Amino acid sequence: DARKNMFFKNDKSIDYFHTAVDCCRKLITPKFTINDGEDFGVILFGTKPPAGDILMCKNVELILNLEKANLEKFNALLEFNSKIQEDKNYMEEKLLSDAFSLSDALFFCCRTFSSSCVKYTNKSIYLFTSDWNPHQDNSAEQQNVRVKAKDIADLNIELHLFPMGEDFDVSVFYQEILEIGNWPVPSPVEKFGDIINRIESSKCVKSRLCKVTWKIGENVSIGVGFYNFFRKARMPKKEKLCRSTNEMVHSVRQCYAQNSGAILLPTDIEYTVKRGGENIVFTPVSIFTPVTKYIREFLELIE
């Protein structure tokens, strides 16, 4: 939420918006340091420029694309946060819009998931807002939010609400929205550490290692799930770097024809075994089947 209500400062002179951005920065840091394979994106609603013309979503802006976390995304998030703090004109021009649509923001999140080429097993939306009754004077927009919440539940996307501010009343509007998808109804939170702990705890619930089921009788069984709440940090895989520029080096393997020097495609290569003075040709598919694995040591590569 990038509207005026999110820029209310608490006792420590830190507004809710920058607290939410700091949470994103905290969450994105371990993703590219330990390479845990999770994708991450940031979307703002309540912005002034009408972004997303293709998706027909006004007052919604994509800050970070949904992709693997890296150092560039981390620096972009830091630059965005510092620019808002230092340049008040930028904040007035880009954020603090009175016109917004929560249903458009949720629709934008769904389209971001569907437009990705990655098939996600777990999809979550973390909603940071301090407005406990959005569209209070527009019953049609509130109904659109209910419909979109039903669509999110049908797509197996989990919606996690982070009510910013101690006076946030979840029962006014969001409790009904969360009950549509049987999502947990949270209590108000505004401290940075409490938000991080709540996010990490929600992720641990989904990381079931295995399940053991005991069958008591016909159509009656009891299951116990095993979860991992603490683990050793996984080190990133080794990468080859150029000695002079320190850039990542990618190795490419090419096969060339012995006579002409032309590049050979995988379809141009045949694997053969010589028996009785003749070459028996195998296709690239059949060469790696269990039937032929015992004669690979006799194979010869020819053009």
Side-chain angles (χ1 to χ4, degrees), residues 158-178:
E158 296 188 6
L159 178 62
H160 298 273
L161 174 66
F162 290 88
M164 310 294 289
E166 296 180 353
D167 56 346
F168 196 103
D169 191 357
V170 183
S171 62
V172 175
F173 176 75
Y174 280 103
Q175 183 172 355
E176 180 185 357
I177 300 299
L178 296 175

Side-chain angles (χ1 to χ4, degrees), residues 266-279:
T267 55
D268 299 330
I269 301 175
E270 294 180 347
Y271 296 89
T272 65
V273 59
K274 194 171 184 178
R275 286 293 182 269
E278 295 183 0
N279 291 327

Side-chain angles (χ1 to χ4, degrees), residues 10-69:
N10 54 20
D11 297 337
K12 296 183 179 180
S13 299
I14 302 176
D15 54 63
Y16 300 142
F17 182 82
H18 289 95
T19 301
V21 175
D22 288 339
C23 290
C24 296
R25 177 183 55 81
K26 178 67 175 179
L27 293 175
I28 199 176
T29 302
K31 294 184 183 300
F32 71 86
T33 55
I34 65 176
N35 192 19
D36 61 357
E38 292 185 358
D39 289 2
F40 187 86
V42 177
I43 296 174
L44 299 182
F45 69 94
T47 57
K48 288 184 178 179
D53 295 336
I54 298 178
L55 302 179
M56 301 300 293
C57 294
K58 296 181 179 180
N59 306 105
V60 180
E61 186 172 356
L62 180 64
I63 301 300
L64 294 180
N65 293 323
L66 183 63
E67 57 187 8
K68 292 290 186 295

